[in-house]
Amino acid sequence: MKKTQELSSFFYSQYFAEGLRITLGTIIPVIVCAFLGEFLMGTFISLGALIVGLSDTPGAPRHRKWGMFYCTLVSIFAIVVTALANDYIFIMTLVIAGFSFLCSMLSVFNARAATVGMMGILIMLINIDAKFTFQEEMNYLGLFIIGAVWYMLISFSLMQVRPYRLAQQELSETIVHVGDYLRLKANFYDLNKDAEENYLKLIEKQISVNEHQENVRDILFQSKRSIKDTTKEGRYLTLIFNEMVDLFEQSMTTHYDYTEIRTKYAMSGILEEIKIIIDKMAHELDNFAYKMHANKRPIPLYDFEKEIDKLRILIEEYDAQQNVNSIPLKKIVINIRTITKHIQNIYKYVAFKADDITKEEIQQSNKFINRDILNWQNFKDNLSLQSSVFRHALRMAIVLSGTYFLFNIFNYSSFTTYWILLTILVILKPGFGLTKERNLQRLIGTIIGGIIGGIILITVPDVTIRFAILIFFFLIAYSLFRVNYIMAVIFMTPYVLIMLSFSGVNTLEMAKERVLDTFIGGSIAFLSSYVIFPNWESFQIKSNMRHLLVANYKYLAQAVLILADKKVSIIDYKLARKEVYIASANMGSTFQRLLTEPKWRQKHTKEVNRFVILNHIFSSYTATLLTQIYNTENKYYTKEHIKLLLKSLTYLQIAIEEISTADSSPVDFIKSLDKNFSELSNDDTLLITEQLQFLTKISGDLQKNVATLASKEI
């Protein structure tokens, strides 16, 4: 994608729309009240809009509305309790500890609840150093509620006016990430690229694709309007999403023994042509995503039929010259053709009435979504030191309350201590790796932003120009908040300093204090993640490994059920596939965070790395096999094929049992397949044999890898 197109895509994206929505909700009250001579009143109204706006994360409209409503209630409670306890250090310390713990525990429900909890803690910390009477606090609470309601009116109105826009933006992001995934797949056909390094990049990209797919599912399928509405747009988006999920799976099936293919066909020139076509497919997806972002009619860039025919002829000429039959290359061409059909389909949905097309997966879409039910039993089950959420909640409570108590006892700051506490809140994450990463980003961003803010305050005396710069920085900061945190902090810091300059505070002195407070808060958060109920990623490795093995077992078991002539619906098949994607993404992200932890905690990383790569190869080969089974008559499957298939499942079963614990949920293992198979064969038979032999080898390697890890303390 061209740089200009990437830049314009950002301004069409959900991130910029979110930043613009928060900016409008926050800045307008300040401007209006400033004209009325009530600047302070405007800041309290804007604070209510900001807190609720930050809780308004992407999702189904119903979930967004309830999230904002609960955020308002939690914030009101936090302000009232803080106002009552603020004059008593000991009581306030206990309030901070208890409230921080409860709000942090909300993450056991879902990500939205976790955000609401964080906003509750944030508003409490902002108010702990306020020097107002209780009556004044209640007046400001009223202004806060006005701001919250004001933002909700803006958000609700946009949902009504453009109900599909967020789904459209999230789907566009998903398409871009799938295009990036295809580019990484193309690198396997580039002899100059390191295959193992490319595997790690591929797994990282798969995590991003899965995250965005889950977001789209939540936005589209949680909203009955998207599925049952008679308008073209709702059906159009759901059909494109369904097509992209299938395309992503097909891109996984273009997976072979790349080492062997590179060795065998290195001098043929065919691998370079394959890479060129796959890169063009990725570019085509970028083009479609950009047009969707911009609300423009997408027009295809390439004629893939001609490209594929050219590649097919090249392979046939190579076979004739070398007197061979390049079956793997021909299968790659077939898979590429299938992917291009998916691309053609998404373009066709633009031209035809999408509501004339029916798919079972869309009609049964409720089976693919996670219900956001506030299960209080889940809350109780997590009240244990075995729970990473519970450990994080305890750590947050101890660190915030302890820091508040000590810094107030010793009268640390001539300003306030809330910036230190705010830094701790933002930086302290459940895992050490995330805390370390966020710490560095916050510190670097604050220093750079502080320098920029200081320069602006010195060189720009005009208040109007400063305010215009403030609005610009605010908009960019909150547009980048979920995309690039360090850049968001760089823009956020000068915005805070400029805003404080309007209240008559010595802003240069405040800038120094902010940088120092950020360093202190970051150091406290970093050290506490080491010593206070540390939650190392290695604690999660075995659990995530088992979940991934079970998901892969159930995915491969679909092949056995199909060959046994048992009815496997497209829904069951795609649900099994979805579980593999989620488990793979969880395992991959856990391993990435493991690599950011101290060296003494990084045990057996080579073996874990090998496990992650082997599982990715295994799930890719399983997808290839299942696609083959769907497209090939069962009569070409032999007894040898079934033996190899059952052997692969047996290896997985052994691996699952080796890593299971007493608390592990049981798995229904397949023992045998009672069916007679013919001995007919064709080219497909030979290729299936090769694929199953490789699948068996990979599953055997997986079992050995798991046995090694199970015998050690990870």
Side-chain angles (χ1 to χ4, degrees), residues 315-456:
I315 294 172
E316 288 175 356
E317 290 175 351
Y318 175 80
D319 284 359
Q321 292 171 4
Q322 302 295 324
N323 194 26
V324 295
N325 187 2
S326 303
I327 296 176
L329 294 183
K330 292 176 181 177
K331 286 296 179 182
I332 290 172
V333 173
I334 292 172
N335 281 329
I336 289 175
R337 190 185 295 277
T338 305
I339 292 175
T340 60
K341 286 181 180 177
H342 288 301
I343 294 175
Q344 289 166 5
N345 284 343
I346 64 175
Y347 277 104
K348 286 178 183 177
Y349 293 146
V350 179
F352 300 104
K353 288 186 177 180
D355 53 340
D356 290 342
I357 303 168
T358 58
K359 285 195 174 185
E360 184 183 353
E361 307 95 289
I362 295 177
Q363 302 302 323
Q364 301 291 329
S365 59
N366 62 314
K367 294 183 179 179
F368 290 86
I369 56 177
N370 297 318
R371 297 294 181 185
D372 285 341
I373 299 173
L374 300 182
N375 186 346
W376 289 101
Q377 185 58 45
N378 190 27
F379 186 93
K380 294 177 183 177
D381 292 342
N382 275 272
L383 295 176
S384 163
L385 283 175
Q386 303 303 314
S387 166
S388 59
V389 175
F390 182 76
R391 296 166 74 91
H392 172 64
L394 278 179
R395 191 186 315 120
M396 184 70 78
I398 292 170
V399 175
L400 287 178
S401 60
T403 302
Y404 168 81
F405 181 76
L406 291 175
F407 278 72
N408 275 275
I409 285 291
F410 293 105
N411 294 317
Y412 159 73
S413 175
S414 58
F415 291 106
T416 59
T417 58
Y418 95 87
W419 196 263
I420 295 175
L421 297 173
L422 176 63
T423 302
I424 294 171
L425 172 66
V426 173
I427 289 176
L428 194 58
K429 299 297 178 185
F432 175 86
L434 288 175
T435 302
K436 176 183 175 182
E437 179 184 10
R438 186 56 65 93
N439 199 351
L440 291 173
Q441 292 174 340
R442 182 83 179 185
L443 183 60
I444 294 170
T446 301
I447 292 172
I448 297 173
I451 293 171
I452 294 172
I455 293 172
I456 291 172

Side-chain angles (χ1 to χ4, degrees), residues 118-174:
M118 188 173 183
M119 291 304 103
I121 300 173
L122 176 60
I123 195 64
M124 176 184 67
L125 297 182
I126 289 174
N127 283 277
I128 58 172
D129 287 317
K131 304 300 180 183
F132 302 117
T133 65
F134 183 77
Q135 182 61 45
E136 289 173 328
E137 289 277 9
M138 292 304 99
N139 291 336
Y140 294 140
L141 173 60
L143 298 175
F144 178 92
I145 294 172
I146 291 172
V149 173
W150 157 248
Y151 177 84
M152 284 191 277
L153 286 174
I154 294 176
S155 185
F156 293 170
S157 299
L158 290 173
M159 288 183 210
Q160 290 297 318
V161 174
R162 308 190 74 181
Y164 299 111
R165 183 55 181 164
L166 182 58
Q168 186 180 6
Q169 291 168 328
E170 187 67 58
L171 181 54
S172 298
E173 292 287 334
T174 305

Side-chain angles (χ1 to χ4, degrees), residues 208-310:
S208 299
V209 172
N210 178 74
E211 179 183 339
H212 283 280
Q213 284 184 346
E214 287 301 300
N215 287 342
V216 177
R217 280 192 184 96
D218 184 52
I219 296 169
L220 276 179
F221 296 155
Q222 293 273 18
S223 173
K224 295 185 183 296
R225 180 175 184 175
S226 297
I227 309 303
K228 296 184 178 180
D229 206 346
T230 55
T231 60
K232 180 180 178 180
E233 192 169 3
R235 296 285 298 170
Y236 165 68
L237 293 174
T238 53
L239 284 167
I240 289 178
F241 173 67
N242 182 70
E243 207 71 47
M244 288 308 303
V245 174
D246 289 343
L247 187 153
F248 180 59
E249 185 201 31
Q250 194 66 40
S251 70
M252 291 184 67
T253 67
T254 56
H255 190 107
Y256 298 90
D257 188 342
Y258 294 114
T259 303
E260 182 181 344
I261 286 178
R262 285 182 172 195
T263 304
K264 196 172 181 179
Y265 302 106
M267 306 305 294
S268 67
I270 296 173
L271 300 186
E272 290 84 349
E273 294 298 322
I274 292 174
K275 183 181 187 305
I276 289 171
I277 291 180
I278 297 176
D279 281 336
K280 285 182 177 179
M281 291 192 298
H283 189 213
E284 190 72 85
L285 289 177
D286 286 342
N287 172 64
F288 188 91
Y290 170 71
K291 297 295 185 182
M292 177 180 279
H293 253 149
N295 265 328
K296 297 177 181 178
R297 185 183 180 87
I299 300 173
L301 300 176
Y302 304 105
D303 183 354
F304 286 111
E305 288 300 321
K306 291 182 179 178
E307 301 271 355
I308 293 171
D309 286 341
K310 177 183 173 183

